Amino acid sequence: MNVAETAEADDIESMMEDAARRFLDERHPAAGAPARVNDAGWQADWWRELASLGWLAVLLPEAAGGSGLGLRAAWPLAVQAGRHLLAAPLVANMALLPGLPAARQTDGPLAAWLAPVLAGDACHAPAAWQADGSLLVEYALPGRRALAWRRAGGQGLRLELHDLADAPVGVGVDPTIGTARLPAAAPVDAIEIALDERAWAGWQQGYRLLRAAEMLGAASAALDAAVAHAGERQQFGRPIGANQAIKHRLADHWMALDDAMLAGKEALCLLERADAGAAAHACAVAELLALESAPRAAQHAIQVHGALGIAWESGLHLYLKRVLHIAAMLGGGRRQTELLDLLWDSGAQPAAA
């Protein structure tokens, strides 16, 4: 990107963030998230409203009915989804099907799957394959279909839709996200599309970075609450935030989250430039920083609040649980080890002549 293109991208990102923050402040405050998990009527109305905003089509080019704004515009939407504990799978529906190169075609089976999502008539619940062949479904809701994906050979992608009608829906660590476990079974629909190794890696990296952005958003909201509390809570005649043991740790967490945010944005820029080598390294750095910084910041935010922090009524636990949920779906501690190994190995490679 040249200077003008970078400035334009920054302006778009800033406008998207401001619009998303104002809309979600009014329509989806974090405190109301638990009540919306199993409200099918609210979910349907809310999804149509999200679709009308065009958020689900930011990754699609204009020729395919999208806005063509790209990953940089999707990043602030994911951050705000995390800050407001959004009880709907915005990131998955914004990034998975629309993020595929094949989504640029206006006909075919993928277009048929995507059309009702973009119109607000359907919403896919992301599903992760487990070792026993079952599916762990996030944002599960009766009547909603789960979207699962896997590699099909070395040059293909298999997408599957699974019915959630008879699946028992509960909640896991995060009470604002409905979850379900589907046993191994034939899907209700499936398609296979061509996707080479480079495109597969970029697609996966883009989705994982946007989930990391959602996690960082939740952690940032928790940290903001801790900073505000530290400025208001009085002990021995002064705010507790005046004590170095508190304010220095809050500053450390702010810097760690900011580093992860900046690394994530840089990684998205490299993905959009299709610089595969540099993007793979940058994505690993950004994901690692997010997995390290977000849980620590959310945990310390609760500690700063003292006894209030562990009270159910305070709502702070919801931010921590959202962070822990996303961290687990990204692979948690095992994934951090994998990323460290990847970065170590890439750093050990001799420079090209």
Side-chain angles (χ1 to χ4, degrees):
M1 281 188 179
N2 57 36
V3 174
E5 290 172 334
T6 300
E8 182 181 5
D10 289 343
D11 288 343
I12 291 173
E13 182 183 338
S14 178
M15 288 188 292
M16 294 293 285
E17 182 173 13
D18 182 60
R21 181 177 60 251
R22 287 188 285 108
F23 176 76
L24 293 174
D25 280 349
E26 178 182 348
R27 300 286 287 110
H28 195 293
R36 301 183 175 111
V37 177
N38 297 315
D39 188 340
W42 178 89
Q43 291 271 355
D45 292 341
W46 175 253
W47 199 250
R48 283 190 287 270
E49 193 166 3
L50 284 184
S52 70
L53 295 172
W55 291 0
L56 303 174
V58 294
L59 298 189
L60 282 176
E62 293 183 34
S67 60
L69 295 177
L71 289 166
R72 283 285 302 273
W75 176 272
L77 298 180
V79 170
Q80 291 302 319
R83 289 188 68 92
H84 292 81
L85 302 176
L86 191 62
L90 171 65
V91 171
N93 286 267
M94 182 171 61
L96 289 175
L97 297 186
L100 287 166
R104 298 166 190 167
Q105 302 172 6
T106 55
D107 56 4
L110 184 59
W113 282 21
L114 193 51
V117 174
L118 297 179
D121 297 327
C123 172
H124 295 144
W129 292 101
Q130 305 301 294
D132 61 358
S134 64
L135 287 169
L136 178 60
V137 185
E138 302 176 80
Y139 300 98
L141 196 68
R144 187 173 283 173
R145 286 185 168 179
L147 174 65
W149 61 96
R150 67 172 90 194
R151 204 74 170 109
Q155 298 291 318
L157 172 68
R158 178 176 171 83
L159 298 166
E160 297 182 359
L161 288 179
H162 292 260
D163 199 352
L164 287 171
D166 299 323
V169 176
V171 293
V173 66
D174 184 349
T176 68
I177 296 178
T179 58
R181 181 68 70 101
L182 292 179
V188 295
D189 200 0
I191 56 176
E192 289 192 13
I193 59 176
L195 194 70
D196 62 32
E197 194 62 39
R198 181 171 179 173
W200 160 262
W203 180 64
Q204 289 276 84
Q205 288 161 348
Y207 175 59
R208 295 182 69 87
L209 281 179
L210 291 178
R211 290 307 303 268
E214 186 181 358
M215 179 172 63
L216 290 169
S220 296
L223 188 64
D224 288 349
V227 171
H229 180 77
E232 297 169 359
R233 180 76 169 97
Q234 298 276 330
Q235 281 286 3
F236 304 111
R238 65 175 186 173
I240 61 172
N243 298 311
Q244 290 185 354
I246 292 178
K247 67 180 178 181
H248 286 184
R249 285 195 66 189
L250 289 173
D252 288 343
H253 289 305
W254 182 89
M255 291 183 65
L257 292 176
D258 192 55
D259 285 347
M261 291 275 195
L262 293 174
K265 293 177 184 180
E266 174 64 16
L268 291 179
C269 287
L270 292 172
L271 279 176
E272 292 193 321
R273 291 179 204 165
D275 188 344
H281 185 274
C283 288
V285 170
E287 189 177 340
L288 179 61
L289 290 176
L291 285 169
E292 289 182 340
S293 62
R296 291 175 184 171
Q299 288 163 356
H300 188 239
I302 289 178
Q303 184 180 13
V304 168
H305 281 79
L308 177 63
I310 60 174
W312 183 270
E313 295 81 2
S314 75
L316 280 170
H317 62 99
L318 296 176
Y319 295 109
L320 176 60
K321 290 172 180 176
R322 177 61 63 97
V323 167
L324 294 179
H325 172 91
I326 297 175
M329 297 307 297
L330 289 174
R334 173 180 52 78
R335 179 60 177 168
Q336 287 179 259
T337 302
E338 292 173 357
L339 291 168
L340 285 169
D341 288 342
L342 188 153
L343 292 171
W344 179 269
D345 291 341
S346 66
Q349 296 297 323

